[in-house]
Amino acid sequence: MVKINNTAIGDGYPCYITFEIGPTHDGLDSAKRLIKHAADAGANAVKFQISDPDREVSDKTQMFSYGILKNRETGEIETVEEPLYDLLKKRSLPDDQWVELKKYSDELGIDFFSTVDFKENIELLVKLRCHSIKIGSADVNHFSLIRQAAKTGMCIQLDTGMATLGEIERAVDVVRSEGNENIIIHHCPSGYPARLDSINLKIIKTLKKMFSYPIAFSDHTPGNEMDIAAVVLGANMVEKTITEDRMTPSVEHVMSIEPNEMKDFVRTIREVEIGLGTGRR
């Protein structure tokens, strides 16, 4: 069991529900609206992505491919390309706006955390009195970054992406070497959206056998079916991207849920937990 803010996460506790906002907001106002939707729906937390595109992307013409929703009725998805720098720039905010978003989340009683890419991001989260730090899958072997995050004493969430089990073990060891046992390991299938044949939800059981820490599922698929299955398989946390409009022609909106679906998403997870019972007669 670990804690984010005052909420216990692990076997025997309710699934911790995080709504991801990082890639789907287009500035301070839309970020605030999405935080309000998440809080109203009963989610435990909102997650953002604090980044510095000018440091992350050296080639401003590097392209990134992803799917957008072309037809709401048929679910038709079109694959498009856009410069990675432009995508990251859309979600980049100045420090004073991160301060405002954290304060707004506190006012609404919803936990706030973020993925980080650089040491300065970690320092900002400490200043914000953030509730957790997430390490993106691309940085699962960026041990100096992980070590710096672990030193804060915050709960460290590790995205695993396509990492090997050995790489995950080494990342966990780095966190533990700093005396931090507040660790959550995310199964995070790649793709925007993820292909069904790449989701591999059964790895959740493998991770639960290998590690004594909560296991989470970061969902990159439309709908809630994979989240329900993940909870049934023992996921202690689910992370789902939210949007104001799934038709928005930008990355990750296609696999997000909209405001009128958010309460149902939370309710469904809670009902599944009740329906699973205790395993005893």
Side-chain angles (χ1 to χ4, degrees), residues 52-117:
D52 185 344
D54 292 301
R55 291 178 66 185
E56 292 172 349
V57 185
S58 57
D59 179 3
K60 302 297 191 291
T61 65
Q62 179 184 343
M63 302 301 287
F64 183 84
S65 63
Y66 58 90
I68 62 172
L69 186 63
K70 293 298 292 180
N71 188 307
R72 189 181 287 272
E73 299 301 321
T74 65
E76 178 189 355
I77 296 174
E78 177 185 357
T79 300
V80 298
E81 283 192 336
E82 185 177 352
L84 178 60
Y85 177 81
D86 293 350
L87 285 171
L88 296 177
K89 200 69 176 174
K90 292 175 186 176
R91 64 185 71 166
S92 179
L93 298 174
D95 287 2
D96 64 321
Q97 292 189 0
W98 289 120
V99 171
E100 189 170 345
L101 289 177
K102 172 58 166 57
K103 180 181 178 183
Y104 185 62
S105 298
D106 289 345
E107 290 172 356
L108 295 179
I110 191 166
D111 295 343
F112 176 104
F113 52 86
S114 175
T115 302
V116 296
D117 296 314

Side-chain angles (χ1 to χ4, degrees), residues 4 37 57 82 118 126 130 143 182 189 195 206 211 231 245 253 273:
I4 292 181
H37 287 309
V57 185
E82 185 177 352
F118 297 103
V126 171
C130 197
F143 298 141
N182 291 321
R195 302 187 322 276
T206 301
F211 300 99
V231 171
D245 185 357
H253 291 272
E273 290 180 299

Side-chain angles (χ1 to χ4, degrees), residues 187 200-211 215 229-230 232-235:
H187 172 49
N200 190 24
L201 285 176
K202 287 185 177 180
I203 196 68
I204 291 172
K205 286 190 171 183
T206 301
L207 293 171
K208 290 183 77 69
K209 288 178 181 177
M210 288 184 62
F211 300 99
I215 304 301
V232 172
L233 288 168

Side-chain angles (χ1 to χ4, degrees), residues 6-77:
N6 294 315
T7 303
I9 303 167
D11 292 345
Y13 296 94
C15 179
Y16 187 95
I17 299 174
T18 300
F19 280 160
E20 161 77 285
I21 299 175
T24 52
H25 73 84
D26 60 12
L28 180 65
D29 290 341
S30 71
K32 279 189 168 183
R33 290 194 298 270
L34 286 167
I35 292 171
K36 182 67 164 62
H37 287 309
D40 288 346
N44 296 99
V46 290
K47 188 186 85 70
F48 286 89
Q49 299 173 9
I50 296 177
S51 61
D52 185 344
D54 292 301
R55 291 178 66 185
E56 292 172 349
V57 185
S58 57
D59 179 3
K60 302 297 191 291
T61 65
Q62 179 184 343
M63 302 301 287
F64 183 84
S65 63
Y66 58 90
I68 62 172
L69 186 63
K70 293 298 292 180
N71 188 307
R72 189 181 287 272
E73 299 301 321
T74 65
E76 178 189 355
I77 296 174

